[in-house]
Every structure is written in structure tokens, then in C-alpha cells.
């Protein structure tokens, strides 16, 4: 319980620091936030002054900061000039798609990665181990945006199996039955998820392999085997649970890179998620939107890491000790 | 009195183990080979990287004898671009990693040696920095000023990447700080600076070196991604990232433009990871050495 | 209810003619216990309470007690590796606790420390030659080739071959590493060396060698030792005076002869009876103490030893009064309210102890 409170406090401090940092960034950005709107001839100086007052840009730094925090607490992240709506609304529309993408990928990648890692550990040194090892090695090395392009090329252009992008086929008849709609959604989901899964499976499988080998050699496992417990049972009951711990922890640590990877993958597949939103916002000089995405992304990461920490501590209490290195850490 | 057993010294032993490991040797050769290639390649290539050869006839020529990697939409020789871009990408990655390693080590040393309060404050900041998705962070930093000079880009990327090193160094320093031999140096009358330089830093150097080697792979991919999005290295200067961007629009009709630089990236990352793993094994033999 | 009686400053040998080299008065060290959500201080551990003693130049003062009695903490407080919470430490007329920065570092030359753990106290990434040389570099005592020669002669002095200076600690055994630690301490030519259980981590056969080395060094260089140990047998032949500590306090202090032949405190007697004898068949009168050692975070009231004490006169007063350290005989101090001052009488079990010890020839 006490650990949970500490973690929540920790997460809160992190978010507060990031919010402050983003405030500084927004203020430091050269030019008036309304510069993009300057081209609009209907924006008279008087009107501009009104807008500036409305956004608290005319006060001292202190009041501006207070204003910023207050609006964050309200959920008001500013106005997005490129999409002509409040930032929060733009993000709220996009975030679920990103979460769908990342969530599905995490689930599949974990199951696949853990299974592959276990297969490798069981057949250590053999041909299967080496093959899977080679694949995961490459999976670790390939750039996310490039892999997405390759997937697109192979899956959509060459094999013509999957749609070129987007979340759903807009041309489906409205009255189509739900299995058809679901299938359509699934087809659109395949390539982006496959890309992310390949990227995720590699480190998971490698870590799982190392963690399992580490534990299988551990004293207490050997004792169980010596006591006469069947090897499979030893594996399933004893080694399994603790080997999951570091993998889950790694998941927590890898979360930021997942959100980063989403930016590229969503762009390639025209997936309307927060990542693509951020990239487009940059191109459109919509600074408030960019900052909003950063903030929301960080909050997601913090929540995710806290969850991962909690779960992995439950799985293997040793991980809560300072300096304990489960298997070897990842890059 | 018994004769003590003969062992190799620490660093020399590490180098020996490293050179005996085939994986590390291959990886190091690949990296050096690539570095050499991009260093002299652009000068030896038959075409200039930015020269538009014949906008009417030589657009999107597939790989052939004349153009080993084909041409792009502006009839530029892709091989020449890849070599020239390689220079930029590799230089970028190594300098950014150098900066982020130095910054991270200094902050980590400072936090590791400081009292509880200061350490907690600094580490909260480090945690915050590490929690922000690096790509988003960079987008936010680069958005208002897209056409920054290259050196500023390097610094910005480094600025988002020192957190992991700082955490690592701080952890090691805090662990070593309470060992008896540090107390012994203290008892001898060593100043804090001397303890930091002579006793703490050498212990920290190993893991930092490993992390930095692996980071080169990450940063080169990161820079490529940013350039692909348009916020990194700007045209007409080639970088592997923006070459891929040039080819993205025409992916189905001229895939070689995007594919070639990608394979180069994969090669660099593979080599950096393999060498980093080899380094890790060489510096800590017997500690969970799994092939 | 505790009645706290402050102890009077205790003297050294009673000689009075020469000033002691080291003078400790009222040394105390309390560690806070942190817990709770914001790492608040929830309690404290009284590691060392009101410790006072003198060490004269050239003598060996042994500080003995079981684990957790505060002897190591006392040693480190004297060196200011740990900052004392209260008290004073005067070395060669200089108030050690008031020194700062460069002055403190310069002072460290004169008081050195040999650590207990020969494995952890040497930097695994430095050659032993560099380890020994470090003191010379810090205090600018020698440089370059001259420094190397000094290192070589130091190594030979402690019984190591000079060629080994380029090797690393992991290539040596525990006893050899401890010699390196001793050489390192000697390099800066100190007057006073605190030996923190220097042989506890070594094999018994090696212990004697190292103790002999320490004796030779003391004789050749005129050193003064503070020898910390948990085993009276180790200090039997080395100590001039002995201080016995229990739960952070001094319970008895006397010259070695007197302490080993006529101990007053029940605890000292128990310690003595625990010294192993070479003849396994010799009749033994082991005094086994009841109960477990108490926790320094929650010490017993009054006399800290009272739960385990076997003094025939033990009563309720023992749980209420913290006994002061009083001179019970010439140069013989003890902290017990049941032992009359001015005499060195002791009760029956110790008498039996004495007769047994004088009957058996002492082990070398």
C-alpha cells in the first residue's frame, strides 16, 4: 500500500515537472502563438488583444503559469489553430486509435515474445534457438518507420492483401452487418499492428530467454528439481512467474519508445492516432497541439509504467530492490 | 608464502576477450568498414550526391550497372546520396551520443555523490525526462524552429537522451560509494574530487561505454526518423532519413530509393548492438554470459 | 524509570606524567531510523553512548565486545569517517572534531585505519602498488621513481614480494591482502593506527602471522594502536590495556594483566571463558549468557546488561540506574553498582575462572 502511494506521488511529480517544462517551451517559442492566425485579415488588432487576454498572455509569467496549470486541471489544453478546435477535443478523437494500436500490439507481442523466449530457453543452443535469435536480432535493429514502409510495400502493394491505410473503409455500405465491419476494421489493423509487434517481440523474446535461463540455473529451481519435481512443473510453477517480472518491467521502460514509434507507424499507414496528429501539427506550426500531444503522451507513459511496476513487483518481489539486475538489461 | 595466481589486468583482459570474440570482431569491422566507406566514398563516387543528372530521362531508374542503387525522382544517383548521407548520419549519431554521454555521466556523478535531498530532486527531473517519449519531445523542441543548423540539432537530440546514462551512473556511484575501499581512500585523506576521478569513474566507465555503443544505433535511427518527418536534416543535404522520405511518395514504383538507406541503417544498428553486447561480455565475464 | 548518572572523565594509566596521544571524551553516535512514506525519522539507534578513554603513545589499547556493541563505530568516529553526534576527540593536542577541509585531510596522515574486510577494502581495479602509493600521492610525500621505491620497501616490510606491486587484489589471498592494507596505512607514516578487527576475516593460521607482523611494526616504528576485536583471545598478547564495550557503552577498562586475571564485570568474565583453549580435554567452566543480545534501537533500562547478568546481588536497582564507570581498583574501571569501589573483589565464578587459567599453560 505504502509503495503504491509512493509510486503515485512519484508519477504525479513527474507529470508536474513535464507540465512545467512544456509551459516554458510554449513561452519560449519564438513568435506569438497567434502568428499563424495573423494571415487572417479579419483579425483586427483589437480582436487579437481580446484573444491574448483570453489566453492570459498579457499577464506576468507567474499569472501565466497559474493560468496554465488551472487550464490543465480543467482539461483545457489550448486551441489548435490547424484543426480549428480545442486541442483536447482533437486529442480525444485521436488518442483511442493510438491506444488501440499500442494496446493490441502489446498484448500480441507479449504473448508471442514470452512464448518464443520460452521456446528458445527450452532448446538452448539448438537450431531453433539460433533461428529465433537471428530474427529477434534483426527485429531489434530495424528502424520503425522503415519497417512500416516495408510492411506497406509488401502487404499492400505486392501482396495486395491489406488496405493502404486508414482505420476503416469509408465506402462500406451503411447497413453492412457487424461481422463485415469488424473484419474490415481488423484488416486495417493488421499491418500497423504487425509492424509494431515485430518491433516489440524482439526485445521481449530476448529478455524472456535470458531471464528464464537465469532462473532455471538458480539454486532454488535446482533444489526443486532435486526434490523430484518434474522438470515441466518446475518450469511452469516456479520459473515462469518470476521470469515474467523483468519482462513486464521492460515493458514499462519501453513505453515511451512505443509512443514514439506510433508517430511513424501512424504516419505511414495514415492511422488517425495521436502520433500522426503530432507530426501533422509540427508541419502546420500548431504549437499548442504539439505540446498537448507531448503532455498526454507522457501521462499515458507514466500511468503505464506505474502499472508495469506494480505488476512486476507482484510477480517478482526481488525487482523492487535497488541494483538487482534481472538477466541482463536491454539497450 | 604462496605465489599468487597470474591473471590479466582488468582493461587489458577486456580487450583480449573482446578480440577473441568473433561476433565483436565482425561487428567492429562492419562499423569501421562503413565509416571508411562514407568517409572516402563520396569522393570516389562517379556522381555528385545532389547533382540532378537528367530530369527528363534518368528519373527513377532502377538499380543497374550505371547506377548501382538507381536514381530518385530528381534523377540523382541514389548510391552517391547514400554515401554522402551516411557521412552525415554517422557523424551525427557519434557526436550526439558523445554529448549525451558526457552530460549524463556528469549529472549522474553529481547526483550519486550528493546528499539524499539533492539526489532525490535531480532524479525526479531525470525520471521526468525519461518518461517523455523521445520523438514527441524532439518534435516539441524542434517544431517552432525547423531550420536549425546541424550542430544545434545534434545538441537538441543529445539533450533528450542523457537521462538513461545519468540514471545508470548515479546508480553505480551510489552503490560504490559505500564500499570499504572508498572509505579507505577517504581515511587516507583523499579529496572528494580525487575519490570521484580515481575510484568511482573507472568503475562507471565500463557500463557507460556499453550503453553509449548501443545508443549510437538508437540515435542514428532517431535522426533518420526525424529527417524522414522533415524536422531533421534538411534538403538538399542528404541523410539516410530524408532519402527514405524522398522515396516514400513513390514507394510502389521506385522502392529502391527507400529500401537502400534502410538496409544501411539496419546494418549499422546490428553492428552497434553486437559490438555493445560483446563489450558487455568482455567487461564482465562470468556474469550471465549468454550467447 | 532511569536515573542517569553521568560518568566522570576517565584517565589512562594513572601515570599522569605524559599527555596521552589520543583522548576521547563523552563520544556518542546515534543513527536515525528512517521509515514511513516521506522517509521520516521514526526512531534511533544508540550505537555509541558516552565513551571516554585515553591512549598513551606507544601502547596498544584493545577495544573488545560482541557484534553491534559499537566498537567499530567508535573507531570510525575517531577517524571522522563517521561524524560523532556528541563528544570530543583530541589527538596530539589537536581537537579533531573542529577540523575541516584541507586541515582535516592533512591530519589524516597521522591517524590511519586498517579495515576488517581484506576483500572489500582494496579497489579491485587498482594494482596493489597503486593502492599503497595513493597515500604518498595525496600527501605529496614522494613522487615518481622515489615513490615506487618507497612502495617496494613498504611491501617488503609487510612481507610481500616487491614484484607483486603490478598485480591486482583478486590475485592474492586474504592474508596477503590484509598485508597490503597495512602497507597502505604505513605509507603515510602515521603515529596512530586504528586496527578494525584486522584478523577477524582471516584463517586462524594466518591470524597469528598478521598479529606478529603488527607487533614487529609497532616495535620498529614506535606506533600506537587502537585494536578493535570481538575476541579477547586475539588481543591477549598484544594489548597493554583493554576496554570492554557492551551495547555502546564501556563496561570495563583495565590493563591487560589485570583484566585477564581479575575481571570484575560479569560480561568480561563471560568473554574470557569463551576463549578457546588448545587442549580439548581440559576442564572448562564456560559461562553461557542467557538470552539474546538486545537491540541497540531499544536498549534495556538502567544497566544495559541486566537482563543477562548473573551477579548474585542483581536487583531492581539494576533496572533503574545506569551505572557510572568508576575506578574500582588502581587503573581498573568498571560500570556496576553492585561492585564496591576501591576494591577489586570479584565473585565466585570468576575465582574459579582464574584458578583454571593459571593452571593451564597459555597458548602462543
Amino acid at each position: 500500500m505504502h509503495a503504491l502511494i509512493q509510486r503515485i506521488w512519484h508519477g504525479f511529480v513527474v507529470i508536474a515537472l513535464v507540465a512545467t517544462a512544456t509551459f516554458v517551451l510554449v513561452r519560449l517559442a519564438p513568435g506569438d502563438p497567434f502568428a499563424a492566425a495573423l494571415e487572417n485579415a479579419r483579425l483586427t488588432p483589437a480582436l487579437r488583444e481580446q484573444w491574448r487576454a483570453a489566453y492570459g498572455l498579457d499577464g506576468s509569467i507567474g499569472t501565466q503559469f497559474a493560468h496554465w496549470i488551472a487550464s490543465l486541471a480543467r482539461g483545457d489544453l489550448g486551441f489548435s489553430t490547424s484543426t480549428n478546435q480545442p486541442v483536447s477535443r482533437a486529442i480525444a478523437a485521436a488518442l483511442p486509435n493510438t491506444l488501440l494500436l499500442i494496446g493490441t500490439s502489446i498484448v500480441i507481442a507479449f504473448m508471442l515474445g514470452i512464448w518464443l523466449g520460452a521456446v528458445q530457453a527450452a532448446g538452448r543452443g539448438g537450431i531453433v534457438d539460433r533461428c529465433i535469435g537471428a530474427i529477434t536480432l534483426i527485429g531489434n535493429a530495424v528502424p520503425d518507420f522503415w519497417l512500416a514502409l516495408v510492411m506497406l510495400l509488401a502487404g499492400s502493394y505486392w501482396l495486395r492483401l491489406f488496405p493502404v491505410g486508414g482505420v476503416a473503409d469509408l465506402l462500406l455500405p451503411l447497413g453492412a452487418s457487424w461481422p463485415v465491419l469488424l473484419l474490415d476494421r481488423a484488416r486495417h489493423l493488421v499491418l500497423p499492428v504487425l509492424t509494431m509487434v515485430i518491433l516489440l517481440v524482439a526485445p521481449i523474446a530476448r529478455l524472456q530467454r535470458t531471464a528464464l535461463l537465469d532462473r532455471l540455473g538458480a539454486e532454488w529451481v535446482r533444489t526443486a528439481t532435486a526434490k523430484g519435481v518434474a522438470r515441466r512443473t518446475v518450469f511452469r510453477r516456479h520459473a515462469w512467474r518470476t521470469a515474467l517480472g523483468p519482462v513486464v518491467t521492460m515493458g514499462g521502460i519501453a513505453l515511451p519508445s512505443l509512443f514514439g514509434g506510433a508517430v511513424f507507424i501512424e504516419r505511414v499507414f495514415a492511422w488517425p492516432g495521436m502520433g500522426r496528429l503530432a507530426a501533422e501539427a509540427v508541419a502546420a506550426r500548431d504549437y499548442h497541439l504539439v505540446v498537448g500531444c507531448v503532455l498526454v503522451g507522457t501521462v499515458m507513459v507514466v500511468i503505464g509504467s506505474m502499472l508495469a511496476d506494480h505488476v512486476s513487483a507482484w510477480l517478482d518481489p526481488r525487482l523492487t530492490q535497488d541494483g538487482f539486475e534481472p538477466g541482463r538489461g536491454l539497450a | 608464502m604462496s605465489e599468487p595466481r597470474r591473471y590479466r589486468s582488468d582493461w587489458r583482459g577486456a580487450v583480449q576477450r573482446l578480440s577473441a570474440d568473433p561476433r565483436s570482431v565482425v561487428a567492429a569491422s562492419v562499423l569501421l568498414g562503413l565509416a571508411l566507406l562514407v568517409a572516402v566514398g563520396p569522393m570516389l563516387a562517379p556522381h555528385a550526391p545532389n547533382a540532378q543528372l537528367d530530369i527528363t530521362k534518368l528519373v527513377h531508374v532502377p538499380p543497374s550497372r550505371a547506377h548501382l542503387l538507381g536514381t530518385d525522382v530528381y534523377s540523382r544517383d541514389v548510391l552517391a546520396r547514400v554515401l554522402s548521407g551516411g557521412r552525415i548520419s554517422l557523424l551525427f549519431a557519434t557526436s550526439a551520443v558523445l554529448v549525451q554521454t558526457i552530460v549524463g555521466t556528469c549529472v549522474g556523478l553529481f547526483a550519486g555523490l550528493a546528499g539524499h535531498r539533492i539526489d532525490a530532486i535531480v532524479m525526479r527531473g531525470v525520471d521526468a525526462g525519461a518518461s517523455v517519449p523521445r520523438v514527441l519531445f524532439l518534435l516539441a523542441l524542434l517544431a517552432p524552429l525547423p531550420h536549425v543548423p546541424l550542430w544545434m540539432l545534434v545538441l537538441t537530440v543529445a539533450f533528450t537522451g542523457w537521462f538513461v546514462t545519468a540514471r545508470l551512473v548515479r546508480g553505480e556511484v551510489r552503490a560504490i560509494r559505500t564500499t570499504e575501499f572508498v572509505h579507505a581512500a577517504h581515511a587516507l585523506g583523499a579529496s572528494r574530487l580525487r575519490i570521484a576521478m580515481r575510484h568511482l569513474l573507472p568503475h562507471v566507465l565500463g557500463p557507460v561505454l556499453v550503453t553509449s555503443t548501443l545508443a549510437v544505433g538508437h540515435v542514428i535511427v532517431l535522426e533518420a526518423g526525424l529527417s524522414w518527418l522533415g524536422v531533421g536534416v534538411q534538403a538538399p543535404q542528404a541523410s539516410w532519413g530524408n532519402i527514405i522520405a524522398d522515396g516514400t511518395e513513390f514507394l510502389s514504383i521506385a522502392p529502391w530509393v527507400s529500401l537502400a538507406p534502410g538496409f544501411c541503417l539496419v546494418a549499422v544498428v546490428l553492428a552497434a548492438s553486437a559490438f555493445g553486447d560483446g563489450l558487455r561480455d568482455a567487461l564482465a565475464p562470468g556474469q550471465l554470459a549468454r550467447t | 524509570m532511569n536515573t542517569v548518572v553521568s560518568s566522570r572523565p576517565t584517565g589512562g594509566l594513572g601515570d599522569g606524567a605524559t599527555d596521552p596521544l589520543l583522548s576521547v571524551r563523552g563520544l556518542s553516535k546515534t543513527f536515525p531510523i528512517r521509515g514511513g512514506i516521506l522517509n521520516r525519522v521514526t526512531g534511533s539507534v544508540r550505537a555509541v553512548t558516552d565513551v571516554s578513554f585515553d591512549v598513551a603513545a606507544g601502547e596498544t589499547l584493545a577495544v573488545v565486545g560482541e557484534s553491534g556493541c559499537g566498537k567499530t563505530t567508535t573507531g570510525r568516529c575517531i577517524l571522522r569517517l563517521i561524524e560523532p553526534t556528541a563528544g570530543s576527540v583530541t589527538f596530539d593536542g589537536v581537537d579533531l572534531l573542529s577540523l575541516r577541509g584541507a586541515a582535516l585531510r592533512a591530519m589524516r596522515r597521522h591517524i590511519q585505519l586498517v579495515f576488517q574486510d581484506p576483500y572489500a577494502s582494496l579497489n579491485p581495479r587498482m594494482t596493489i602498488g597503486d593502492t599503497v602509493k595513493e597515500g604518498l600521492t595525496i600527501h605529496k610525500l614522494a613522487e615518481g621513481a622515489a615513490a615506487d621505491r618507497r612502495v617496494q620497501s613498504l611491501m617488503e616490510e609487510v612481507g610481500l614480494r616487491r614484484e607483486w606491486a603490478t598485480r591486482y587484489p583478486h590475485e592474492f589471498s586474504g592474508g596477503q591482502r590484509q598485508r597490503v592494507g597495512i602497507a597502505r596505512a604505513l605509507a603515510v607514516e602515521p603515529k596512530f593506527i586504528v586496527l578494525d578487527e584486522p584478523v577477524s576475516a582471516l584463517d586462524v593460521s594466518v591470524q597469528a602471522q598478521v598479529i606478529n607482523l603488527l607487533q614487529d611494526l609497532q616495535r620498529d616504528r614506535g606506533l600506537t594502536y587502537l585494536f578493535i576485536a570481538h575476541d579477547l583471545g586475539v588481543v591477549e598478547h598484544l594489548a597493554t590495556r583493554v576496554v570492554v564495550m557492551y551495547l555502546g557503552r564501556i563496561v570495563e577498562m583495565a590493563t591487560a594483566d589485570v583484566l585477564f586475571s581479575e575481571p570484575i564485570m560479569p560480561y568480561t568474565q563471560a568473554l574470557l571463558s569463551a576463549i578457546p583453549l588448545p587442549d580439548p580435554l581440559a576442564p572448562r567452566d564456560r559461562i553461557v549468557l542467557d538470552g539474546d543480545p538486545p537491540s541497540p534501537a531499544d536498549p534495556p533500562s538502567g544497566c544495559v546488561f541486566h537482563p543477562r547478568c548473573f551477579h548474585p546481588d542483581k536487583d531492581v536497582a539494576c533496572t533503574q540506574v545506569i551505572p557510572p564507570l568508576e575506578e574500582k581498583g588502581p587503573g581498573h574501571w568498571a560500570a556496576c553498582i553492585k561492585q564496591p569501589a576501591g576494591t577489586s573483589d570479584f565473585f565466585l565464578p570468576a575465582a574459579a575462572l582464574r584458578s583454571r587459567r593459571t593452571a593451564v599453560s597459555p597458548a602462543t
Side-chain angles (χ1 to χ4, degrees), chain C residues 283-318:
Chain C
R284 299 209 58 171
D285 227 340
R286 279 292 300 274
I287 300 175
V288 178
L289 295 172
D290 282 332
D292 296 317
S295 153
D298 186 21
S301 58
C303 171
V304 289
F305 189 64
H306 83 255
R308 304 166 89 189
C309 185
F310 50 88
H311 197 291
D313 294 338
K314 181 168 89 165
D315 63 13
V316 145
C318 291

Side-chain angles (χ1 to χ4, degrees), chain C residues 109-190:
Chain C
R109 209 194 128 178
H110 304 296
I111 322 178
Q112 271 302 304
L113 177 56
V114 173
F115 289 79
Q116 173 178 359
D117 185 348
Y119 298 89
S121 61
L122 302 179
N123 186 338
R125 286 179 191 262
M126 277 171 72
T127 62
I128 60 170
D130 285 338
T131 298
V132 174
K133 202 196 298 188
E134 190 169 14
L136 298 174
T137 318
I138 293 174
H139 296 279
K140 300 188 180 30
L141 299 174
E143 290 184 2
D148 289 333
R149 280 196 299 273
R150 282 277 281 272
V151 167
Q152 285 170 352
S153 80
L154 278 165
M155 285 177 65
E156 286 178 340
E157 198 173 347
V158 299
L160 297 167
R161 302 245 284 270
R162 56 169 60 191
E163 307 87 71
W164 295 345
T166 50
R167 300 196 184 179
Y168 287 84
H170 65 251
E171 307 183 47
F172 294 96
S173 69
Q176 289 165 329
R177 288 189 219 199
Q178 202 60 307
R179 290 170 194 267
V180 174
I182 295 173
R184 172 175 59 190
L186 290 178
V188 294
E189 287 163 10

